[in-house]
């Protein structure tokens, strides 16, 4: 699994409804059109079981309010590091991914401390997932 913290854009969320944190909970993620057409990249495979576990742990155990997205198109903030770390082939990407978007556009922004705490909670949630070294 590969995780990416990416900035949200107005393509997904309007300024009148802008989440602080949004977690992808889907089998796949389309390539978003950022105004110039979609990039010639394969869609990104998700991991529904793990993302559901993360959502439940982050909300129930760590009391983070998340927006859960069963449909989410990934854009440059996700795709550039994905492409640099995991070049895709004819069969798509070599990893599954779970996008976690952080609002860095619409005030009020989450504080660095809150993002750090989310990272700590995310680590604990991953470690509690059956089959990982921490479980």
């Amino acid at each position: 699994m590969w995780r990416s913290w990416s900035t949200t854009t107005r393509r997904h969320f309007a300024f009148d409804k802008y989440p602080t944190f949004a977690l992808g909970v889907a089998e796949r993620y389309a390539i978003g059109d950022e105004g110039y057409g979609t990039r010639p990249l394969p869609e990104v495979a998700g991991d529904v079981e793990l993302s559901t576990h993360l959502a439940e742990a982050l909300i129930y155990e760590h009391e983070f309010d998340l927006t859960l997205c069963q449909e989410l198109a990934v854009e440059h903030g996700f795709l550039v590091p994905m492409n640099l770390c995991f070049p895709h082939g004819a069969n798509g990407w070599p990893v599954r991914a779970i996008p976690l978007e952080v609002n860095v556009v619409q005030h009020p922004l989450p504080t660095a401390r809150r993002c750090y705490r989310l990272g700590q909670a995310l680590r604990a949630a991953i470690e509690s997932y059956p089959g990982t070294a921490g479980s």
Side-chain angles (χ1 to χ4, degrees), residues 37-66:
T38 57
R39 297 168 190 249
L41 297 170
E43 69 181 7
V44 178
D47 187 328
V48 174
E49 288 182 26
L50 178 55
S51 56
T52 299
H53 169 79
L54 295 178
E56 291 174 350
L58 291 171
I59 293 169
Y60 295 142
E61 296 171 29
H62 301 281
E63 298 183 346
F64 271 90
D65 295 324
L66 302 174

Side-chain angles (χ1 to χ4, degrees), residues 6-24 65-69 71-72 100-110 114-115 118:
S6 69
T7 60
T8 57
T9 68
R10 288 183 35 185
R11 303 277 179 220
H12 300 298
F13 308 110
F15 282 133
D16 66 334
K17 297 173 191 72
Y18 219 84
T20 303
F21 302 113
L23 181 71
D65 295 324
L66 302 174
T67 297
L68 304 180
C69 302
E71 290 183 19
L72 186 67
L100 174 60
E101 298 203 10
V102 178
N103 171 23
V104 297
V105 177
Q106 178 69 17
H107 289 269
L109 303 176
R114 185 138 173 84
C115 290
L118 177 60

Side-chain angles (χ1 to χ4, degrees), residues 2 39 41 75-86 93:
W2 182 69
R39 297 168 190 249
L41 297 170
E75 298 174 351
H76 70 277
F78 182 91
L79 292 170
V80 170
M82 181 81 162
N83 203 31
L84 291 171
C85 294
F86 305 103
W93 302 99

Side-chain angles (χ1 to χ4, degrees), residues 27-47:
E27 291 183 18
R28 63 188 46 85
Y29 303 96
I31 305 303
D33 181 349
E34 298 182 68
Y36 305 102
T38 57
R39 297 168 190 249
L41 297 170
E43 69 181 7
V44 178
D47 187 328

